[in-house]
Amino acid sequence: MAKTAALTKTKHVTVAATAVGLVLAAVVAASAGPWDASGQRKAEAIRAASPEPRGGAHHGRRGPSAPEAAPSAPAVLAAPGASVPGPTKSALADVLDPLLKDAALGKDRSAAVVDAVTGKRLYGRSAGDPHTPASTIKLATAVAALTAAGPDHRIATRTALEKDSRELLLVGGGDPTLTARTKNPYGAADLRDLADDTAAALKKDHLTEVTLTYDTSLYAGPALHPIGPNENLAQVSALMTDEARLDDSASGPAARAADPAAAAAHTFAELLHERGIRTKGDPGPSKASGQAEDLAKVESPPLSDLVERMLTHSDNDIAEALARQTAIAAHTRADFDGAGAAVKKQLKKLGLPLTGTRFADGSGLDRTDKVSADLLTGLLAKAADPDRPQLRPVLTGLPVAGFTGTLSSRYADPADASGTGLVRAKTGTLTGVNTLAGTVVDADGRLLVFAFMTDGAPAPQAAQAGLDRLASSVANCGCR
């Protein structure tokens, strides 16, 4: 038994490596976007080469300056499906139909499996019916933001000075990852850097005392999500630091500041004081005039990085920010309604099935959100299209079963463990609602995308296990 288990594990690792390679090969376009011709992100290559060497080996670093990026290996795999057949509809139905009858999945369920190469649906059960998607709606948010603003777009936080009144404005651009921590969590824009540059600019103008205010006018409408105060999401503000978290966490539920913008401005005032700039009174809300002079700015990581982080950790704050960035790019009112309309407009341009859809928010916390399994698989198929490299972060951000993000603690049950390392998928969970949508490379090497949606499940863990089993079965199925 131990030998059999070892062989099975080896097979899974091998197929998983193949799956990753195939996905990369599927979405590469030479010199397009922030990726090289082999499908390796240029930023990843630079980061891989940059850290100080560890261990006993010397790999020929070239002095104290940052090294050049390590060369990428050439692409060695053809696009998925170029030389292997896909599963047949009847064989796939023979595998999935019995699993979908599991009572643990609840009273309402829908499913779709699509060939990523041809775009044809290979399996469907109520695939066009709209259901509450929970966090799988973040796939729609990601695709819309990447097409509207672009993968290289960065969100700026800046300072501006009204010279006549000596009013210094901290102007929010909608970056929820702006950090004020001494240890930058993941290359986020740093409020300390903004304070450094702002203080230097003020001193250059011989100013050491200002009235500090903050500007959140980029966003409109209510800041509070319809679900009300919740540890899963801060108030949606154009200005905040570290997602307004009151602890040191970087993901998951956490207590949040009651007024994220005011909290960020108070922190900025303290940072200015440390740099020799005094501020009068407490910071209050304001709006920059047309005469305000820009002093300094810091920028978020590129949108591609934010999308990956949002999907891996199911980050609700980033999701709501990206929905509003979509609205801003579309010159639409940046509130919940405007963001939803902008997302839908972007997806319509891509020719995706939108019958019955409703985008009440960008995160999926709102139960009035509605999408279909057909839409979820359509989004993933677009992301796998070699002609759309700008959508690649939708695939690379998906959690890996048993290893990363919201799938790190799943696929432990022996009945569905065969999907470990093979399934990459976005999870979605609300009370009674469980969804899973992602990609697999089947046993024959064909890239498939899938979506499974359930409502009314009696027990969440049993429903999640049922969804995991469905995805594992697709991954391990030649089905011909």
Side-chain angles (χ1 to χ4, degrees), residues 116-197:
V117 179
T118 64
K120 293 182 178 179
R121 189 210 288 164
L122 302 175
Y123 180 83
R125 290 293 179 271
S126 304
D129 294 348
H131 289 270
T132 301
S135 281
T136 54
I137 204 172
K138 291 182 175 74
L139 295 170
T141 303
V143 169
L146 289 168
T147 54
D152 298 324
H153 176 68
R154 296 173 184 264
I155 304 171
T157 306
R158 61 188 177 91
T159 53
L161 180 67
E162 304 281 6
K163 283 200 168 183
D164 291 343
S165 61
R166 295 188 177 184
E167 177 188 358
L168 176 67
L169 295 108
L170 177 60
V171 184
D175 178 11
T177 67
L178 175 70
T179 187
R181 296 174 179 173
T182 54
K183 184 176 181 180
N184 196 318
Y186 49 90
D190 198 322
L191 196 66
R192 295 171 184 273
D193 292 340
L194 186 61
D196 286 340
D197 295 343

Side-chain angles (χ1 to χ4, degrees), residues 421-432:
L422 304 183
V423 174
R424 299 193 67 153
K426 181 70 198 77
T427 59
T429 307
L430 293 171
T431 302

Side-chain angles (χ1 to χ4, degrees), residues 22 76-86 117 444-446 480:
L22 285 167
V76 295
L77 295 174
S83 60
V84 296
V117 179
D444 289 327
R446 192 81 169 189
R480 286 183 297 166

